[in-house]
Structures are given as structure tokens and as C-alpha cells.
């Protein structure tokens, strides 16, 4: 089970949001690269970056902070990034500058042709982020709930060739309310590519619950508020996940 610390970037700082609300942000650091190094030192095997300003603007907005993080850790572990990725040039720029995986969210839902082109141009480097509430996909920073069924879209995007899917239960993200295991497993069972769980991870019990369904295709989890507020010790969580995966 791959546990992936999240670094959400807003105005060059590391923050965490509650349920995606840009007006409900907690600042955790003025220096995100220091945070990235901290997670690397604690045994992280991948980092998850979100350009929150970029997600709103539709183009990258935290270039200096992103570069500092990549310069700090990318030679040792992969870095994935999402937020405001709307064209192939942006993807190419990121991949040329040390990012390993690019996450496409809203644009994948609104412009499937773009996603198909991205998977064709950059095979193995494209991850889709699907954010859902009650099985329906949300877009535009979760402000718009679509009629798209998350499983139907996941199957379509798998056919396009995406590397994996990050599934976020938006009712739980940033709320420390536990992972929606049932919905995550249901999605994992419907496709043959890895599912990375996101949203609601609170403590070691959530990690153990995710490890118990790893065989269903739930291969990772993104950790946010829990590791910043201390309800979950990252190093201990990855160690426990490795124990369970080996058993």
C-alpha cells in the first residue's frame, strides 16, 4: 500500500482545505519544499501536489513552490501534480521538469478528447482524479455536481489508457471522518487499473481498512489533514501498511 503525503499549494504556501473550500484553508507552512523534505525523510515513496490557485485559474500558478519541491525530492521519489492542467503543453512542461505523473480532473470530465490525447502523447504518465458525492462526479473544485456516474467514467478513462485513478469522496475530504471503503472498493472492482483512495483518512484504523482491500485494486492512499494535524503518524502508518502487505 503506497501512502502518499499531499502538499496543497495556495499562494506559495502549504495549506489544507476542508471539503475543497478555498476560503476554509489552514496554513501549515510558508515553505512547501521543507515539508516535502520532511515527508521524504519519514519514508514517503511519492508526493502528491495540488496547485489550488491553478485549479481556479485553469493554468499553473505556483511555479516557484513546485520547482522548489521538485528540486528537493524528485531525484529520489516520484512527484505527481494536479490543478489547472488543461492542455498538452502544460503536461509536457511538467514532465520535462521533473514531475512523474500529471493528474487531470475537471478537464477529463469536460473534455474527454483532451484526456485521450494526453494518454496517447504521454503513456504511463497520466492519472485521472475523480471526485464524487453519492456516486456522481463533481467538477470545478467540487462546486458542480454532474450526472456522470463515477464507475461509468472510470471505465471509459481506463480504455483511454490512464495509469491510475485517484478517487475522492468529497463529502469526507479534509473532515477526518474516515474513508469510504465501500465506495472505493466498488470502483476498484469495476476497473483493472489501480485506484488511489483520497479523502477522510484519519488514523491507523483507516490504513488497516485500506490494506484489507488492497487485493481488490486499492493500491494507495493520499494523506492530508491527518498527517498535518497529528491524528496519523506518517512513518508509523507506512510501516504498518508494509507489514500488512507482506503478510
Amino acid at each position: 500500500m503506497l501512502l502518499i503525503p499531499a502538499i496543497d499549494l495556495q499562494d506559495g504556501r502549504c495549506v489544507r482545505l476542508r471539503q475543497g473550500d478555498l476560503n476554509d484553508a489552514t496554513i501549515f507552512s510558508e515553505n512547501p519544499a521543507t515539508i516535502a523534505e520532511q515527508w521524504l525523510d519519514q519514508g514517503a515513496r511519492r508526493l502528491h501536489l495540488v496547485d489550488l490557485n491553478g485549479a481556479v485559474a485553469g493554468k499553473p500558478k505556483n511555479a516557484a513552490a513546485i520547482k522548489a519541491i521538485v528540486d528537493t525530492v524528485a531525484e529520489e521519489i516520484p512527484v505527481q501534480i494536479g490543478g489547472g492542467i488543461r492542455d498538452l503543453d502544460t503536461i509536457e512542461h511538467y514532465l520535462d521538469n521533473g514531475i512523474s505523473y500529471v493528474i487531470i480532473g475537471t478537464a477529463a470530465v469536460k473534455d474527454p478528447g483532451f484526456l485521450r490525447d494526453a494518454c496517447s502523447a504521454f503513456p504511463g504518465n497520466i492519472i485521472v482524479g475523480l471526485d464524487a458525492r453519492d456516486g456522481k462526479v463533481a467538477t470545478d473544485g467540487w462546486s458542480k455536481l454532474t450526472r456522470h456516474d463515477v464507475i461509468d467514467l472510470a471505465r471509459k478513462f481506463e480504455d483511454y489508457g490512464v495509469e491510475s485513478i485517484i478517487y475522492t469522496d468529497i463529502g469526507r475530504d479534509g473532515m477526518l471522518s474516515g474513508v469510504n471503503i465501500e465506495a472505493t472498493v466498488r470502483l476498484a472492482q469495476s476497473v483493472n487499473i489501480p485506484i488511489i483512495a483520497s479523502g477522510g483518512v484519519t488514523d491507523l484504523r483507516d490504513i488497516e481498512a485500506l490494506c484489507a482491500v488492497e487485493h481488490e485494486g486499492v493500491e494507495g492512499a493520499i494523506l492530508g489533514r491527518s498527517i498535518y494535524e497529528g491524528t496519523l503518524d506518517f512513518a508509523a502508518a507506512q510501516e504498518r501498511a508494509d507489514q500488512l502487505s507482506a503478510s
Side-chain angles (χ1 to χ4, degrees):
M1 178 69 62
L2 182 66
L3 304 184
I4 311 172
I7 299 179
D8 289 2
L9 300 168
Q10 184 181 48
D11 304 328
R13 301 174 296 194
C14 172
V15 306
R16 291 302 298 167
L17 306 182
R18 292 183 190 275
Q19 294 189 298
D21 185 352
L22 290 167
N23 296 313
D24 191 358
T26 304
I27 299 168
F28 284 103
S29 176
E30 299 283 345
N31 188 345
T34 301
I35 298 295
E37 190 170 31
Q38 169 189 314
W39 298 133
L40 178 65
D41 290 344
Q42 291 190 30
R45 295 167 195 159
R46 188 187 296 191
L47 286 184
H48 175 80
L49 309 186
V50 181
D51 182 348
L52 295 171
N53 301 102
V56 174
K59 57 184 178 181
K61 283 291 184 180
N62 281 281
I66 293 165
K67 182 180 186 303
I69 291 169
V70 169
D71 289 347
T72 300
V73 305
E75 287 190 2
E76 299 189 61
I77 59 172
V79 177
Q80 61 191 40
I81 189 166
I85 297 163
R86 304 284 190 269
D87 57 63
L88 297 180
D89 287 344
T90 299
I91 297 174
E92 185 172 31
H93 172 78
Y94 275 138
L95 296 178
D96 285 347
N97 287 277
I99 296 289
S100 296
Y101 303 102
V102 170
I103 304 159
I104 302 175
T106 292
V109 181
K110 290 188 166 184
D111 186 2
F114 163 58
L115 178 64
R116 187 190 289 115
D117 290 345
C119 290
S120 177
F122 309 105
N125 299 111
I126 305 300
I127 296 173
V128 161
L130 288 179
D131 308 325
R133 187 191 301 273
D134 300 325
K136 299 300 181 183
V137 173
T139 62
D140 299 278
W142 307 347
S143 62
K144 298 178 182 176
L145 201 61
T146 72
R147 295 181 179 179
H148 293 294
D149 181 84
V150 66
I151 288 177
D152 291 343
L153 274 186
R155 286 172 172 160
K156 180 164 79 170
F157 295 160
E158 178 182 20
D159 289 342
Y160 290 177
V162 302
E163 195 275 335
S164 57
I165 292 172
I166 296 172
Y167 172 67
T168 304
D169 182 327
I170 64 178
R172 303 192 183 210
D173 187 75
M175 302 303 289
L176 298 178
S177 57
V179 181
N180 189 335
I181 295 289
E182 183 182 349
T184 305
V185 168
R186 194 158 54 239
L187 180 61
Q189 289 174 335
S190 70
V191 294
N192 294 309
I193 53 176
I195 299 297
I196 299 171
S198 175
V201 173
T202 305
D203 54 32
L204 207 54
R205 289 171 296 182
D206 291 311
I207 302 302
E208 292 170 345
L210 285 166
C211 288
V213 296
E214 186 174 8
H215 66 282
E216 300 283 8
V218 182
E219 296 190 9
I222 293 170
L223 309 181
R225 188 170 285 273
S226 61
I227 56 174
Y228 286 95
E229 294 194 347
T231 63
L232 181 68
D233 179 295
F234 176 78
Q238 185 62 73
E239 183 179 358
R240 178 62 175 148
D242 291 343
Q243 290 174 349
L244 291 171
S245 295
S247 61

